Structure formats: structure tokens, C-alpha cells
Amino acid sequence: MIEYILGHINYWFIIAVMMVGLYTLISRANLIKKLAGLAIFQTAVILFYVSLGKVTGGTVPIVDEAYTLYSNPLPQVLMLTAIVVGVATTALGFALVIRIKEAYNTIEEDAIFTLDQKDHE
Amino acid sequence: MNEQLTILLVVVPLMIAPITALFKSHTISWILTAIVSFTSLILSFIILFDVIDGSHVIYELGGWRPPWGIEYKIDSLNAFIALIVSAIACLSTIFAWQSVPKEINENNYGLFYAALQLCLLGLLGIALTGDIFNLFVFLEISSLSSYALISMGRSRKALTAAFSYLILGTIGATFFLIGVGFLYAASGSLNIADIATRFSTFADMQLVMTGFIFILLGLGLKAAIFPMHSWLPNAYGHAPSVVSIFLSATATKVSIYVLIRVLFDLYPVAYWQALLLPQILLVLGCVGVIYGSFRAWQQVELKRLLAFSSVAQIGYIIIGISLLNNDGITASVMHLFNHALIKATLFMGAGIILYRTNTTKLSELRGFGGSMPWTFAAIVLAGLSLIGVPGTVGFVTKWYLLSGAIAQGKWIVVVAILAGSVLAIAYVWKIVEAMYFNSKRKMVIQNVKSGDINLAKAPISLSLALWIGAAGCLYFGLYTELPYQSAQSIATALLSSEVAQ
């Protein structure tokens, strides 16, 4: 059992990071903190992919007669794209928060909700 | 030669969108958008006629052979979805000519149209690609631009709606990405066809099932399947008219297309039948139909009413998929087309009302039907299609859906479909009652400059787009060959691919 946990230690850490991100996202009313949670959540997925590609004892993926065992480079390449997507999402999120701050003069979700309710009446 | 056309569908908007963003003039950016959307429509038509007999068009990006390179493998389902997306894009473009100058800040015309083209690019890309990671990238391109588009709505609620869509949409996409990661860990491939052919060699791994559940949850969020629909009514209710038309008709449909691909092509049907997924989806679909219709009936604002009705219509599509017989899947695929047409028409109607009266609250529109008879006639026509009155497109789908459900002996589903239709009558009647039968009320006119003649008549481009949509609802209800043949060939292909495995 101990061996199983230690053998997959990177995945346990990744799950922990992921849960921190999701919990922040769900529990915070502050929109900036929500976005921070979202970014942490996405980072966990990036870590997950990168550690998928690791081969124990493998080197960097280079073409050389001397090395036959090397780590899988593909997940890392995929994650370059995912990082770009993540940056774009966060940037768009921040831009929206700025606009929300201008329109409502607050970035607390519950305050915005009360203001919307007032509009409704 | 036609292989090269497939990539043009993605490349043309990708090249023109940045150019569009440079212009401030509405005319130039509109013309560029019109070029993009009509080119896409023509290309999709050519490709669809190539593959409707069940053949494939294959394009390898950069000349890399699959499974290493990205491959676009077009069968009739891909081409059909691409056709729906580009046809709706054309309608929205026609509608945009007079609607956008009124609803969007004049400094943002170029950016608005660029975002619209990027959204079109993302949706077309999803419809064409045969590589599951490439699909994720296109999913995010379309989603990111749709968040930006929604936030350009007039009320400040559009901002919060866009923000909550951003949060939920990103969670959905990230879940999808985790699922793809698990699947990649098990299979070592990202090519959908390659994973499917080698599926039995790794089917027993726990990873595969975990990945499957993540992918399903992610797509469920993106497609707004019943318990995960909370972002949809606000987003579509507050977006600018053009965006509501375009997204309500295409964005969720394309996500459902991905779901169909995952369920029928990526994973073998027997695999998820063992997980009781058809039953779960069937229940979610039925509850979604009744809940969505009921909430639609409760709404007092036209665009929100239509948005909730979308939740119900997605329920019908899910029911069709989970019936797992030829009639059910034919109905689902046809409803992707039919509902896109119906909902685009209804949102165009709502857009015209908004253009002329600056309001879409039903209580403020009382007795206004006499003042714009043609617009309301089109809305009623599309409303009747939504209910499923014979002679309209909605009837065709419901007919096949019902015969699929009866063939399986699932009477509860039959009851749910009929109950949904009754509720649809109730909410469509609510619109009709407000427009025609309530006593006329003095209009409260807001934000209208003096000398503005908007109220006097519906602008020509808006009416043109609306009536193309309404005529489509009627035409495809009477002459069902094109959607029916495509849907039939798609359903056969989906079900036979499962037998082959």
C-alpha cells in the first residue's frame, strides 16, 4: 500500500493541487480569487500531462545511438498549446473583471447578485 | 482536389479574422465577414455532396501521416455539422448588417466581427478534425471568442453572464482535457480512428473509464445537458442579438456532435452500455425536456424564454442518442439541424423586436402584434415548429423520435416527449397571447432619439434573414429529403461502425 502511494507520489500531489484550485474556484466570492483558482486547476492538468510523459531512467528525447530509452516529448508539446489556452482564458477573465468593476463598482459575487436583484425589481 | 477544400474552411476565417480586427469601419468588416461565411457555406455544400454516399475525404495536415500527424477525416456527419454551422453563420451575417450598428459600441465593430469569425473558425474546426487534442484547441478557440462576444451585450448583466460562462466553460474544457490525458495514457494516441481500432487492447484499464467520465462531464457542461445548463439562459439571454442567434443555433449543437463522436466512434457502444449510460442519458434527457419547457413557460422575458426552451430541445436530442436505434439517432441528427433553424429564427424575431422597441419583456410588448404583423407571423411559424405541428420541421423530428421510442417500448419516454410538447404549446402560447390577444398598451419607448424611424418599420436585412429562417422551417418540414438523407446515412454509419468492432 505504502509502495503504491509512494510510487505514484507525483499524481497524489497533482490531485492535491487540482483540488486546491477547484475548491478556491467554488468557495471564493471574489472574482479575482475565482480566476486564481481556475488557473491553479489548469496548472494541475498541465503537471499531470507532463508527468505522464516521464519514463523512469529515460533521457531527453534526442536521436543518438547511445540512448534508446527516452521520455515521451509529445505531452510536453501538447501542454505548450494548453498553456497558451490557459493564458488566454485568464487574460480574458481579468478583462471581464475590469469591465465588471467599472459597471458594478464591486468584484464580490454576492454584492453583484444583490445589485442584479435590485435591477430586476 | 476536394481534400484541399476541407482545410480552407478553417484557414479562410483564420486569415481574415486578424485583418477584420484592423478595421473600424462597419461596412468593411461586415463585407469581410460576409465573404468568410458565404465561402464556408459553399465549401461545406461541396464537401457534403462528396461524402453523402458514405465515402470519406481525408486531409493530412502538413503531410504528416496519421496517427502521428493531425488528420481531417470528413464523413457525412462532419460535413453535415459544418453545413449547419456555416448556414447559420450566413443568416447571422445578413442579420448583423443592421443589427450590429445599433447594439455594439461603434469603436468595436472590427473586433466584434473578428471574434465572430474566430468563433465560426473554432466551430468548423471541431466539426472537421479527427484528432482529439486538436478538437480541444478548437473548442477553446470557439469558447474564448464566444465569451468575448457575449460580454458585448448592452446590459451589464451580459458581463456577469459572460464571466460565469467563462468559469463553467473552462472547467468543462479542462475536464475534457483531463479525460483526453487519461485516454492518451492508456492508448498512446490522439487520433480518434486510431484509438477506436485499437480499443480492445486497452479496454480493461481503469484509466479508460475514468477518462470517459471526465470527457462526458466536460462535454455535458459545454453542451448544457440538463443538470449542467445553468450558464446557458443568462449567456444567451443577455448577449447581443446576432450572438444569441449564432451561438444558440451552433455552439451547443457542435458540443453534442462531439458527444456523438465520443460515444459512437471513440468508445464502442457496448462499453458504455455496460456502464448503464443509455439509461442515465435517457433519464437526463426526459427530465431536461420537462424542466426546460416548464422554466421556459415561467419566464417573462422573450430571450430568456427561448434560452430555456433550448435546454428542453437539447433534452430531445439526448433522448434520441440514448435510444440507440436507427430512428432515434436519425431524429437526433435531424434535430441538430432543425433546432438550429428554429432557434435562429426565433432569436432573429426577438432581435427585431429588440431593434424596434428596445425591450423584449413580454409585458411591455402587449398587443404589439398588429404593429409588426410580418415579424410576428414568422415568430409564430417558428413557434409552431418548436411545438412540432405537422408541416413544420419540428414535427419531422418528433415523429422519428416517437417512433424510435415506441419501437423500444419505452413508454415513459413517449409520455415525456408528449408532455414536453404540451408545455411547448403553453410557452409559445404565452408569446402569442402577449402579442395578439392582450389589450394594447401604450408603448414605453426607451432610449430612442427623436426623429428615429426604427419603430416605424422592420429594417430590410433583419426581415430578410428572419424570413429565410422561417421559410426554412416550413420548407424542410415539407421537403425533408436533404436533412433526412444525410441523417439517415449518418445514423447507419454510426450504428454500423459499432457492429464492425
Side-chain angles (χ1 to χ4, degrees):
Chain A
M1 186 67 199
I2 298 281
E3 215 166 274
Y4 176 74
I5 292 174
L6 286 181
H8 294 83
I9 190 80
N10 49 342
Y11 293 108
W12 296 110
F13 279 125
I14 289 164
I15 292 171
V17 174
M18 199 177 274
M19 290 306 125
V20 167
L22 259 188
Y23 179 75
T24 318
L25 181 63
I26 295 163
S27 64
R28 302 292 137 169
N30 185 311
L31 299 184
I32 296 282
K33 288 182 185 166
K34 265 184 188 298
L35 281 177
L38 194 67
I40 295 172
F41 178 53
Q42 287 180 316
T43 311
V45 179
I46 292 167
L47 289 174
F48 166 66
Y49 265 81
V50 172
S51 63
L52 275 185
K54 169 73 182 158
V55 174
T56 319
T59 62
V60 283
I62 45 172
V63 182
D64 190 302
E65 296 276 309
Y67 305 103
T68 48
L69 193 65
Y70 54 86
S71 292
N72 186 351
L74 187 66
Q76 301 183 18
V77 179
L78 296 180
M79 282 310 103
L80 282 180
T81 320
I83 289 169
V84 174
V85 169
V87 168
T89 312
T90 320
L92 185 62
F94 283 142
L96 278 177
V97 173
I98 293 173
R99 291 280 307 280
I100 288 172
K101 170 82 178 166
E102 283 167 4
Y104 289 86
N105 208 20
T106 173
I107 51 165
E108 295 293 326
E109 205 173 34
D110 27 6
I112 292 170
F113 185 73
T114 353
L115 284 171
D116 273 349
Q117 292 303 103
K118 266 188 207 153
D119 278 2
H120 212 65
E121 281 156 15
Chain B
M1 183 221 150
N2 281 345
E3 295 86 66
Q4 311 294 335
L5 292 182
T6 57
I7 193 68
L8 274 182
L9 272 179
V10 176
V11 170
V12 171
L14 191 63
M15 303 292 266
I16 297 192
I19 301 173
T20 313
L22 297 176
F23 289 103
K24 275 202 166 174
S25 143
H26 179 257
T27 319
I28 297 175
S29 29
W30 183 83
I31 289 173
L32 287 171
T33 314
I35 292 172
V36 169
S37 45
F38 282 95
T39 318
S40 318
L41 183 64
I42 295 165
L43 291 176
S44 324
F45 253 117
I46 298 174
I47 295 170
L48 181 65
F49 281 116
D50 265 8
V51 296
I52 201 165
D53 53 0
S55 57
H56 297 283
V57 174
I58 292 172
Y59 181 81
E60 290 155 6
L61 259 76
W64 293 88
R65 297 213 70 84
W68 295 281
I70 294 169
E71 169 198 39
Y72 286 3
K73 188 177 175 193
I74 319 292
D75 61 9
S76 38
L77 179 57
N78 296 96
F80 190 63
I81 299 292
L83 182 68
I84 296 175
V85 172
S86 43
I88 298 295
C90 288
L91 274 186
S92 323
T93 314
I94 300 173
F95 193 88
W97 172 242
Q98 275 164 309
S99 160
V100 167
K102 173 132 177 168
E103 289 186 37
I104 307 294
N105 186 324
E106 60 180 350
N107 294 321
N108 294 341
Y109 291 152
L111 294 172
F112 176 85
Y113 282 113
L116 198 64
Q117 289 171 26
L118 284 177
C119 193
L120 172 65
L121 150 81
L123 295 172
L124 285 174
I126 297 172
L128 298 177
T129 187
D131 181 283
I132 199 158
F133 191 83
N134 194 231
L135 196 149
F136 161 77
V137 175
F138 279 127
L139 195 67
E140 281 301 71
I141 292 178
S142 69
S143 306
L144 281 170
S145 41
S146 61
Y147 309 144
L149 286 170
I150 289 168
S151 72
M152 292 191 200
R154 294 198 299 185
S155 104
R156 62 179 180 181
K157 280 183 193 158
L159 294 171
T160 43
F163 189 82
S164 56
Y165 183 21
L166 180 134
I167 297 284
L168 288 173
T170 309
I171 293 178
T174 313
F175 270 24
F176 182 76
L177 188 60
I178 299 173
V180 171
F182 278 117
L183 199 56
Y184 176 70
S187 69
S189 174
L190 292 166
N191 184 298
I192 293 177
D194 186 44
I195 295 175
T197 45
R198 296 191 294 108
F199 192 83
S200 53
T201 54
F202 49 82
D204 298 334
M205 292 167 92
Q206 182 68 40
L207 282 177
V208 179
M209 194 192 289
T210 319
F212 182 61
I213 292 165
F214 270 116
I215 291 179
L216 268 193
L217 284 177
L219 289 177
L221 257 172
K222 285 277 182 193
I225 294 168
F226 161 63
M228 296 176 272
H229 64 275
S230 63
W231 57 268
L232 189 141
N234 278 329
Y236 293 177
H238 297 299
S241 304
V242 178
V243 178
S244 302
I245 296 163
F246 184 59
L247 290 183
S248 70
T250 55
T252 48
K253 308 291 170 306
V254 169
S255 306
I256 288 173
Y257 151 76
V258 182
L259 188 68
I260 294 177
R261 266 280 176 253
V262 168
L263 289 182
F264 288 92
D265 280 353
L266 192 57
Y267 284 83
V269 174
Y271 185 80
W272 47 278
Q273 263 181 326
L275 296 173
L276 294 182
L277 196 70
Q279 285 85 336
I280 297 171
L281 282 179
L282 205 59
V283 171
L284 290 183
C286 292
V287 177
V289 164
I290 292 171
Y291 170 87
S293 308
F294 180 71
R295 287 297 304 272
W297 176 70
Q298 285 181 321
Q299 298 306 311
V300 293
E301 203 261 340
L302 186 54
K303 280 175 91 173
R304 269 181 79 83
L305 186 153
L306 296 178
F308 269 110
S309 126
S310 282
V311 176
Q313 303 294 319
I314 291 163
Y316 286 121
I317 300 173
I318 297 300
I319 291 176
I321 296 172
S322 51
L323 282 176
L324 275 180
N325 57 14
N326 206 319
D327 276 347
I329 293 167
T330 308
S332 281
V333 175
M334 275 178 88
H335 205 52
L336 290 177
F337 176 79
N338 294 345
H339 178 241
L341 199 58
I342 299 170
K343 219 16 93 58
T345 311
L346 283 168
F347 268 112
M348 283 192 275
I352 294 183
I353 295 172
L354 186 69
Y355 183 91
R356 291 180 62 183
T357 65
N358 278 316
T359 178
T360 47
K361 283 213 179 85
L362 289 176
S363 57
E364 291 174 7
L365 289 171
R366 269 161 51 182
F368 203 47
S371 312
M372 35 174 143
W374 288 102
T375 305
F376 282 121
I379 294 179
V380 170
L381 199 62
L384 290 177
S385 314
L386 207 55
I387 298 168
V389 175
T392 60
V393 282
F395 174 72
V396 186
T397 335
K398 280 197 181 145
W399 178 261
Y400 286 110
L401 204 54
L402 280 175
S403 58
I406 291 169
Q408 295 244 333
K410 299 217 160 86
W411 295 103
I412 297 174
V413 179
V414 176
V415 171
I417 296 170
L418 294 177
S421 303
V422 171
L423 283 166
I425 296 175
Y427 66 72
V428 172
W429 177 252
K430 213 175 154 175
I431 307 174
V432 174
E433 189 187 16
M435 310 283 176
Y436 289 111
F437 292 93
N438 279 352
S439 58
K440 256 201 178 122
R441 169 180 187 279
K442 200 168 171 1
M443 290 293 303
V444 184
I445 300 173
Q446 301 144 334
N447 310 323
V448 178
K449 289 185 203 125
S450 79
D452 193 344
I453 57 154
N454 285 336
L455 267 170
K457 57 179 196 306
I460 183 80
S461 83
L462 306 191
S463 304
L464 178 68
L466 178 71
W467 274 97
I468 293 174
C473 288
L474 213 54
Y475 178 82
F476 290 112
L478 296 173
Y479 303 95
T480 54
E481 281 94 31
L482 177 71
Y484 181 70
Q485 273 179 11
S486 324
Q488 189 70 43
S489 113
I490 291 162
T492 319
L494 287 176
L495 287 170
S496 68
S497 71
E498 166 233 347
V499 175
Q501 280 169 18

